[in-house]
């Protein structure tokens, strides 16, 4: 026979190895003999220790907990909820938090003006009458964008042909 480490009077090897000082794993089956041995071991240790002085903080917590429980018993376990009385047939969605957009990068790149000198001055006119104007009056004729003003046309001609413009005449033609 083997001697039991806790002097519990184990009579066989099986009983000896049934004793386990480690707590059981979660979900593991517990051995009833091992559980009994652990209980007795705990009782022996408690008997040898001196009585510790009582602490006040846990007592206060226990009293508060008991008061809460008593209040819950008198009030009732289920708290009755009040429901909002709806006066309208239609349901209106409640107003929720509206967060401003905060993009990580800009979705559009700052674009240059599409209405530049190449868009304003489309093509020079090369008809017979416009050629005669070029020769006789030193005048250029262009087809221009309908949205262009006289100032836009003047600036476009200055940029593209590097000439001083004295006068601009416009006509809307089909």
């Amino acid at each position: 026979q083997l001697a039991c480490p806790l002097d519990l009077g184990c009579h066989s090897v099986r009983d000896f190895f049934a004793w386990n000082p480690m707590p059981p794993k979660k979900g593991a089956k517990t051995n009833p003999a091992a559980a009994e041995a652990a209980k007795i071991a705990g009782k022996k240790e408690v008997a040898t220790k001196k009585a510790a002085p009582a602490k006040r903080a846990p007592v206060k917590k226990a009293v508060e907990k008991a008061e809460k429980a008593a209040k819950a018993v008198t009030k009732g376990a289920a708290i009755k909820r009040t429901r909002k009385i709806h006066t309208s047939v239609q349901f209106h969605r409640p107003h929720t938090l509206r967060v401003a957009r905060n993009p990580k990068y800009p979705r559009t790149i700052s674009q240059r003006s599409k209405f530049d000198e190449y868009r304003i001055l489309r093509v020079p006119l090369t008809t017979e009458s416009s050629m005669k104007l070029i020769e006789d009056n030193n005048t250029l004729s262009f087809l221009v964008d309908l949205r262009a003003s006289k100032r836009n046309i003047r600036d476009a001609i200055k940029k593209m042909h590097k000439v001083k413009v004295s006068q601009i005449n416009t006509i809307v033609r089909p």
Side-chain angles (χ1 to χ4, degrees), residues 91-159:
F91 172 76
H92 297 287
R93 183 183 55 82
H95 296 290
T96 55
L97 179 67
R98 292 178 184 167
V99 182
R101 288 186 179 187
N102 187 15
K104 303 294 180 205
Y105 62 92
R107 296 299 194 271
T108 57
I109 301 163
S110 59
Q111 295 176 349
R112 62 178 179 79
S113 176
K114 288 184 178 177
F115 200 63
D116 58 352
E117 61 267 14
Y118 301 104
R119 181 56 90 61
I120 293 168
L121 298 179
R122 290 197 178 157
V123 288
L125 262 183
T126 55
T127 58
E128 285 184 32
S129 60
S130 66
M131 288 301 186
K132 189 173 182 188
L133 281 172
I134 290 171
E135 292 171 1
D136 296 343
N137 300 339
N138 196 18
T139 306
L140 294 174
S141 301
F142 288 96
L143 285 180
V144 295
D145 196 296
L146 267 175
R147 294 171 293 168
S149 65
K150 287 189 177 185
R151 285 187 180 174
N152 291 347
I153 295 168
R154 177 181 289 141
D155 294 339
I157 291 172
K158 274 185 185 177
K159 276 186 182 177

Side-chain angles (χ1 to χ4, degrees), residues 42-107:
K43 285 180 184 175
K44 282 188 179 180
E45 289 175 15
V46 171
T48 56
K49 288 183 181 177
K50 292 181 182 177
K55 293 182 181 177
R56 299 213 186 275
V59 173
K60 283 184 180 178
K61 284 184 181 177
V63 169
E64 288 175 11
K65 198 173 184 182
E67 287 174 354
K68 277 186 181 178
K71 197 181 271 187
V73 168
T74 56
K75 236 182 185 182
I79 299 168
K80 189 175 181 182
R81 288 188 176 177
T82 57
R83 289 182 176 257
K84 183 181 175 183
I85 298 167
H86 294 284
T87 56
S88 175
V89 178
Q90 288 86 10
F91 172 76
H92 297 287
R93 183 183 55 82
H95 296 290
T96 55
L97 179 67
R98 292 178 184 167
V99 182
R101 288 186 179 187
N102 187 15
K104 303 294 180 205
Y105 62 92
R107 296 299 194 271

Side-chain angles (χ1 to χ4, degrees), residues 146 170-174:
L146 267 175
T170 58
I171 182 172
V172 177
R173 62 174 227 170

